[in-house]
Amino acid sequence: MSVPSYGPESGSAADPHNAALYAKLTRRIVPFLFLAFVVAYIDRVNVSFAKLQMLSDLSLSETVYGAGAGIFFVGYFFFEVPSNLILNRVGARRWIARIMVTWAIVSALTMFVSGPTSFYVMRFLLGVAEAGFSPGILLYLSNWFPSTRRSQIIALFMTAIPVSGAIGGPLSGWLMAHFAGTYGLAGWRWLFVVEGLGSLAVGIAAFFVLHDRIDNVRWLNADEKSRLAADLARDASTRTETSARGAFASKRVWLLGLLYFCIAMGNYGLAFWVPTIIKASGVASVSNIGWLSAVPSLISAVAMVLIARHADRHDERRVHVAVCCAIGALGLLASVLFASNVAVSIAALIIAAIGINSIAPVFWGIPTALLGGAGAAAGIAVINCTGNLAGFVSPFIVGRLSDLSGGKLLPGMLAIAVALLIGAAIVLRMPLRRASASAASAPNSSIPQRT
């Protein structure tokens, strides 16, 4: 398959003379968004560590845990699109700060869960509070970085997922072990309140750190603002301008949502069950489980940046997504098939994490390059919330199959692996094309360019 080159004639975003400009943008924008995503993801999946104590304390079954872990995404689904449309109207600075402060409060209040009903309610409210965060950040990045640089920028941002695992695992294990019994509260209750307070601090800071418009920043000079605006305008000319209604009616948007559903099945199969897989290999201490869970996360953080950079360099994303789906599926299966051997199981989890965590940054380079106008906010939100329904389906299926099979993880991981392989098949058959910058500038041109 031929791949197009992006020389200066097709967009100065690829001009080496712009390297300093985009390095400055990266330093100024990405680190804070990375921090925000780290605390968001820790609050989203810290229930996987709380599970190690909470289930016995509250007499909850694996099915109840799976449903509670997943019901987060029901609230997320219903409020995702409205949240992203509001963000597009009022600006990222205000809305992302609002999202973070709200979810921090809900996360901390999860410490008061006392049974299945309150567990379900708090997880649902957490999803409502966080709805719009991830697609809002993706939309925000598309307003600062052209598509020829976006996969690697998204990858830098999304390394927060494995890094949150590397930080959240040891932190969660330490909190649960060392705060257990303090003021008469179980360790898992302290886990929710302490990590929730961290999100609250970052959420307040977001209001003062983020900027909605290029014109509003003081750290770019007039020439840099002019060059950036020109790059973004050139990039916007390659997208299909659509309305919010047009995004809802687009078959391509819904097919991308289905693809992302398969990808997210793998994401949350990994996120919600890694501690359980490690425990099944014979590791009993929650602190040791936390430290071991950090290993796949750290290694995959490096891999996902390298893979996304390779995808950007070759302007090719379909094969990258498909290969990573297959690697993730095989790694997950191997981690439970060889669960009796700690070293082999951890090695398999590393492979699974490299594959699964590397998919999303490359995948999001596709819709952000294809969609423009008001439809970008709606389309990205539709894709994200449709895909994130897997956040409910994935843990529920694994939990249910585990209960039905007498506590075995293999049936659930097999279901996750099948979903990833279906995703690989979908992306390889998708006709993903966008107009080239030069073609888009010609009124009668219809020359497509591969994504």
Side-chain angles (χ1 to χ4, degrees), residues 360-383:
V362 180
F363 166 81
W364 281 113
I366 297 172
T368 56
L370 293 173
L371 301 173
I380 291 170
V382 167
I383 293 165

Side-chain angles (χ1 to χ4, degrees), residues 138-212:
L138 292 169
L139 183 64
Y140 182 75
L141 289 172
S142 72
N143 292 330
W144 290 90
F145 294 92
S147 59
T148 50
R149 295 178 180 268
R150 202 171 297 136
S151 284
Q152 54 193 304
I153 294 300
I154 293 173
L156 288 173
F157 165 62
M158 286 192 167
T159 53
I161 295 177
V163 168
S164 69
I167 296 173
L171 176 62
S172 297
W174 182 82
L175 287 171
M176 290 168 64
H178 289 271
F179 278 80
T182 303
Y183 295 111
L185 297 176
W188 64 268
R189 296 187 189 275
W190 282 109
L191 169 68
F192 286 119
V193 68
V194 173
E195 293 182 349
L197 290 175
S199 294
L200 180 63
V202 177
I204 294 171
F207 184 80
F208 301 98
V209 173
L210 298 180
H211 298 276
D212 293 320

Side-chain angles (χ1 to χ4, degrees), residues 39-236:
V39 297
Y41 211 78
I42 287 175
D43 280 350
R44 183 185 297 186
V45 303
N46 59 9
V47 69
S48 66
F49 281 91
K51 167 185 183 285
L52 301 176
Q53 295 178 349
M54 186 173 65
L55 263 61
S56 59
D57 282 1
L58 303 180
S59 300
L60 304 179
S61 69
E62 292 282 350
T63 300
V64 169
Y65 164 73
I71 205 170
F72 166 96
F73 298 95
V74 177
Y76 198 91
F77 175 81
F78 285 110
F79 288 87
E80 177 93 317
V81 174
S83 179
N84 220 36
L85 292 176
I86 293 172
L87 181 145
N88 194 45
R89 176 169 295 186
V90 306
R93 182 175 66 94
R94 295 178 180 178
W95 199 245
I96 290 175
R98 193 285 305 163
I99 288 172
M100 295 191 69
V101 169
T102 307
W103 98 52
I105 293 170
V106 175
S107 181
L109 291 176
T110 306
M111 70 178 293
F112 296 111
V113 164
S114 59
T117 301
S118 56
F119 181 46
Y120 294 155
V121 169
M122 295 311 296
R123 290 293 297 177
F124 177 81
L125 291 177
L126 187 65
V128 172
E130 195 180 322
F133 176 76
S134 296
I137 295 296
L138 292 169
L139 183 64
Y140 182 75
L141 289 172
S142 72
N143 292 330
W144 290 90
F145 294 92
S147 59
T148 50
R149 295 178 180 268
R150 202 171 297 136
S151 284
Q152 54 193 304
I153 294 300
I154 293 173
L156 288 173
F157 165 62
M158 286 192 167
T159 53
I161 295 177
V163 168
S164 69
I167 296 173
L171 176 62
S172 297
W174 182 82
L175 287 171
M176 290 168 64
H178 289 271
F179 278 80
T182 303
Y183 295 111
L185 297 176
W188 64 268
R189 296 187 189 275
W190 282 109
L191 169 68
F192 286 119
V193 68
V194 173
E195 293 182 349
L197 290 175
S199 294
L200 180 63
V202 177
I204 294 171
F207 184 80
F208 301 98
V209 173
L210 298 180
H211 298 276
D212 293 320
R213 297 170 55 85
I214 297 171
D215 294 339
N216 294 341
V217 298
R218 297 180 179 179
W219 38 266
L220 289 178
N221 60 40
D223 177 65
E224 289 170 331
K225 290 179 181 180
S226 177
R227 283 188 287 135
L228 178 58
D231 282 351
L232 293 172
R234 187 181 298 107
D235 185 65

Side-chain angles (χ1 to χ4, degrees), residues 236-250:
S237 71
T238 70
R239 305 179 200 166
T240 302
E241 294 288 324
T242 58
S243 64
R245 180 175 297 181
F248 281 104
S250 171

